[in-house]
């Protein structure tokens, strides 16, 4: 662009870089999804199609943004962990957050008809999402962040499962069910489910209890790719020092060709981080 006397306004844009060399998570959350889910008649408490759509949109985001190394989603939210040294958009927070949000929203909207073929979106009730980026300096904080979200999933799901059992199977009103659960702890809810409705909470689907963990399965490459030999998983972290440029380029290619999977597994204990996906926090 040619210089003009108006150009000074550009200087009013303030830099908003995320702390260099630190982890950060972008979390998106649906706006007014309580209402949205009623409008489109989501199954309560858990609509499986809606979760599958959420996962499909998250997978699309991760395909577009290879520096995202982990996603965790539940209800109308998804958290995306970026690799520590990413230089995406010079780490400008607003560029990163808005790109994640709009990529997610675009995919969610585009894919909607595949998951809700009989319920077309209407202009008055389109899905929209907010987003924020939060910096975490240590691996412990990252582990604690994802533990926080997964515990939240568990607490909400146990509550919602019991709440809806009291209403749908127990014939209670909304208000009575709420009153019945007020002040109860997890053990009480498990007991209500079991003794009143014969439901063993442990047997509820993992997707509802544990939420959705999205990551590149480096052992599972997209179709047509050769299974790599002697793959040392903990070395497949692009933030690590590589022996050579060639080794790094090879790792990058492998990561690009890995299939993005969504699993409903525990991410509070060590197993996922140490054995299943050790490169994520290597
Ligand atoms: P806000 O705009 O502040 O985020 P919200 O209405 O989206 O408000 P949330 O706390 O984000 O409130 O909760 C999302 C709500 O969306 C849930 O409480 C639930 O009612 C509904 N919801 C989201 N996903 C599903 C699903 N898969 N099945 C059934 N209901 C869902
Ligand atoms: P970035 O991701 O950095 O924004 P970009 O490719 O979007 O990269 P911009 O500087 O935003 O680059 O420029 C947008 C480009 O999109 C224009 O240079 C032009 O090539 C194209 N474009 C946008 N709108 C139109 C339009 N209405 N008709 C034709 N071309 C368009
Ligand atoms: Mg919110
Ligand atoms: Mg919401
Ligand atoms: Mg929410
Ligand atoms: Mg542009």
């Amino acid at each position: 662009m040619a210089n003009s006397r108006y150009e000074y306004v550009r200087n009013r844009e303030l830099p908003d870089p995320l702390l260099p060399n630190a982890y950060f998570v972008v979390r998106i959350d649906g706006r007014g999804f309580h209402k949205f889910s009623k409008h489109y008649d989501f199954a309560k408490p858990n609509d499986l199609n809606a979760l599958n759509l959420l996962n499909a949109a998250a997978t699309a985001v991760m395909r577009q943004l290879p520096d995202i190394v982990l996603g965790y989603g539940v209800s109308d939210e998804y958290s995306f962990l970026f690799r520590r040294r990413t230089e995406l958009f010079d780490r400008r927070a607003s560029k990163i957050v808005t790109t994640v949000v709009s990529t997610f929203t675009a995919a969610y909207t585009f894919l909607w008809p595949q998951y809700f073929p009989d319920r077309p979106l209407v202009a008055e009730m389109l899905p929209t999402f907010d987003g924020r980026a939060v910096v975490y300096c240590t691996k412990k904080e990252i582990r604690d962040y994802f533990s926080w979200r997964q515990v939240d999933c568990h607490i909400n799901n146990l509550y919602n499962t019991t709440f809806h059992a009291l209403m749908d199977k127990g014939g209670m009103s909304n208000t009575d069910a709420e009153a019945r659960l007020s002040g109860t702890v997890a053990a009480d809810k498990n007991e209500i489910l079991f003794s009143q409705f014969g439901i063993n909470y442990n047997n509820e689907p993992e997707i509802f209890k544990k939420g959705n963990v999205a990551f590149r399965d480096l052992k599972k490459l997209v179709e047509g790719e050769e299974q790599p030999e002697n793959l040392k998983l903990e070395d497949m972290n692009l933030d690590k020092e590589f022996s050579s440029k060639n080794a790094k380029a090879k790792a990058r290619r492998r990561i690009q060709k890995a299939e993005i999977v969504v699993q409903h597994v525990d991410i509070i204990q060590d197993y996922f981080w140490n054995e299943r996906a050790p490169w994520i926090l290597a």
Side-chain angles (χ1 to χ4, degrees):
M1 288 299 130
N3 284 329
S4 79
R5 67 192 173 93
Y6 307 116
E7 277 237 332
Y8 76 95
V9 295
R10 180 152 222 200
N11 298 327
R12 301 292 165 89
E13 284 182 24
L14 299 177
D16 61 347
L18 293 160
L19 189 70
N21 204 17
Y23 299 103
F24 62 88
V25 173
V26 174
R27 182 171 73 255
I28 60 113
D29 185 284
R31 179 170 186 216
F33 260 51
H34 187 67
K35 207 168 149 199
F36 182 89
S37 62
K38 277 198 173 140
H39 186 273
Y40 291 107
D41 200 22
F42 282 16
K44 294 287 176 176
N46 291 299
D47 190 294
L48 192 56
N49 288 329
L51 284 175
N52 289 336
L53 170 57
L54 194 84
N55 286 330
T59 305
V61 169
M62 289 174 69
R63 225 178 277 120
Q64 293 289 317
L65 302 170
D67 283 351
I68 296 173
V69 291
L70 179 69
Y72 179 71
V74 55
S75 181
D76 67 341
E77 70 168 62
Y78 234 98
S79 299
F80 297 102
L81 171 67
F82 282 73
R83 69 181 178 85
R84 205 158 57 89
R85 291 179 194 271
T86 181
E87 286 302 330
L88 179 66
F89 304 143
D90 298 324
R91 299 179 74 90
R92 291 157 62 191
S94 55
K95 275 206 79 151
I96 291 171
V97 172
T98 54
T99 299
V100 170
V101 166
S102 65
T103 306
F104 189 93
T105 308
Y108 191 97
T109 307
F110 178 75
L111 295 169
W112 175 273
Q114 288 181 29
Y115 293 85
F116 293 97
D118 55 341
R119 280 167 269 181
L121 288 171
V122 295
E124 302 73 41
M125 189 60 78
L126 293 173
T128 58
F129 295 82
D130 68 47
R132 68 201 67 185
V134 187
V135 167
Y136 296 104
C137 290
T138 63
K139 290 178 188 175
K140 179 182 185 296
E141 286 176 322
I142 291 298
R143 290 281 305 268
D144 288 347
Y145 174 85
F146 284 100
S147 297
W148 172 53
R149 295 325 300 145
Q150 194 164 50
V151 166
D152 206 67
C153 168
H154 165 72
I155 292 171
N156 287 333
N157 190 56
L158 179 58
Y159 183 94
N160 292 337
T161 305
T162 318
F163 183 70
H164 281 273
L166 286 170
M167 292 195 303
D168 304 343
K169 299 194 165 81
M172 273 190 174
S173 71
N174 195 303
T175 325
D176 289 346
E178 208 174 293
R180 176 66 187 89
L181 290 180
S182 139
T184 58
V185 297
D188 302 326
K189 296 184 188 77
N190 276 302
E191 183 56 26
I192 293 173
L193 283 174
F194 195 70
S195 60
Q196 278 186 250
F197 307 110
I199 297 169
N200 183 343
Y201 183 74
N202 289 330
N203 297 337
E204 289 292 294
E206 295 296 310
I207 185 171
F208 302 153
K209 289 187 297 183
K210 299 238 168 46
N212 303 276
V213 183
F215 61 104
R216 288 183 180 73
D217 191 339
L218 296 187
K219 284 188 162 171
K220 201 170 172 185
L221 300 186
V222 290
E223 230 174 307
E225 286 302 322
E226 293 272 314
Q227 188 63 248
E229 284 165 48
N230 307 323
L231 183 63
K232 270 183 83 187
L233 292 178
E234 55 275 27
D235 287 346
M236 295 292 108
N237 180 314
L238 293 178
D239 293 337
K240 280 182 101 168
E241 294 289 326
F242 279 85
S243 54
S244 66
K245 266 195 170 161
N246 192 31
K248 185 162 189 168
K250 241 172 127 176
R252 196 184 291 277
R253 270 202 305 281
R254 190 159 290 167
I255 289 164
Q256 276 165 1
K257 285 172 178 165
E259 190 177 314
I260 297 170
V261 296
V262 179
Q263 298 182 349
H264 320 295
V265 293
D266 179 284
I267 50 171
I268 299 172
Q269 304 299 316
D270 292 338
Y271 180 81
F272 175 78
W273 305 92
N274 292 351
E275 311 294 332
R276 192 67 194 81
W279 62 90
I280 291 178
L281 290 185

